[in-house]
Amino acid sequence: MNSTDLTGHLLIALPTLQDSNFEHSVVYICNHGDEGAMGVILNHPSTVTLGQVLDQLEIPPSDLSVQEEPVFSGGPVQPEQGFVLHSPDRLWDQSLPVNAFSALTSSRDILEAIAGGEGPERFRLMLGYAGWGPGQLEGELQQDAWLTVPASAALLFETPFTDLREAAARSLGIDMSLLVQHGGHA
């Protein structure tokens, strides 16, 4: 049984986490239940821009300001699948409301709206997601692999991705620079 629902929380990877996919990452948990957990990494930019994604999907942008929006590597699962984390001022096809200030969708209609300048007020686009099987995330938490932080709209949409890890930790009063990895390498 899942005693702690982390939906709507951020996970900050600690130095004890031994998975290169998540090194220095901040993951937003969009769904957490007895079947496992699903989230997206918010602070690993990819080499792709939103303009390139729209071009590949043959969606012509009339709002050229979105062309250079960064696309993030959302996680190692289905890296070819796009996900849009957005403010819930409007819900799109297949939008999954996460909480009062965010929703997640993988539908094309939101990209068409963004390209046309009619998208959500705030959004982040990711390719791929992070997934955990039943009990897997709970096990990693018991091994002190993650720091959990309640998310906020400011952290999700206003904090530059380069500052997100430190800002999220600071919201708990923790200085990430003091958490250093100890131990040697064989």
Side-chain angles (χ1 to χ4, degrees):
M1 285 292 159
N2 178 16
S3 57
T4 305
D5 181 355
L6 293 175
T7 300
H9 281 72
L10 295 170
L11 300 180
I12 302 172
L14 293 173
T16 51
L17 181 65
Q18 298 296 312
D19 186 334
S20 61
N21 289 313
F22 296 102
E23 197 170 338
H24 303 293
S25 67
V26 177
V27 180
Y28 184 54
I29 298 298
C30 300
N31 190 11
H32 186 206
D34 292 335
E35 310 81 44
M38 181 268 182
V40 288
I41 300 173
L42 299 177
N43 64 332
H44 289 183
S46 72
T47 58
V48 179
T49 64
L50 179 53
Q52 290 169 308
V53 170
L54 295 175
D55 197 41
Q56 184 177 9
L57 295 172
E58 298 180 359
I59 300 173
S62 58
D63 179 359
L64 297 180
S65 69
V66 302
Q67 292 279 80
E68 296 305 315
E69 280 289 321
V71 176
F72 294 87
S73 295
V77 183
Q78 292 185 342
E80 70 289 343
Q81 174 69 53
F83 294 90
V84 180
L85 180 67
H86 62 91
S87 52
D89 32 285
R90 175 178 163 199
L91 294 182
W92 310 87
D93 287 350
Q94 304 167 16
S95 279
L96 166 72
V98 177
N99 51 30
F101 53 84
S102 70
L104 185 76
T105 186
S106 61
S107 66
R108 179 183 172 99
D109 67 330
I110 193 168
L111 292 175
E112 291 169 345
I114 290 169
E118 297 173 1
E121 184 181 328
R122 302 187 280 189
F123 68 91
R124 285 188 191 235
L125 176 61
M126 279 80 53
L127 294 174
Y129 69 93
W132 292 265
Q136 185 181 2
L137 180 56
E138 292 79 0
E140 290 178 11
L141 290 167
Q142 288 176 346
Q143 295 168 5
D144 293 325
W146 299 100
L147 186 63
T148 61
V149 180
S152 67
L155 285 171
L156 291 183
F157 299 113
E158 296 166 19
T159 306
F161 73 88
T162 52
D163 302 334
L164 185 57
R165 187 168 180 257
E166 288 72 21
R170 257 194 324 274
S171 74
L172 293 178
I174 295 172
D175 183 346
M176 289 303 288
S177 68
L178 299 178
L179 297 178
V180 294
Q181 175 136 12
H182 295 286
H185 297 281

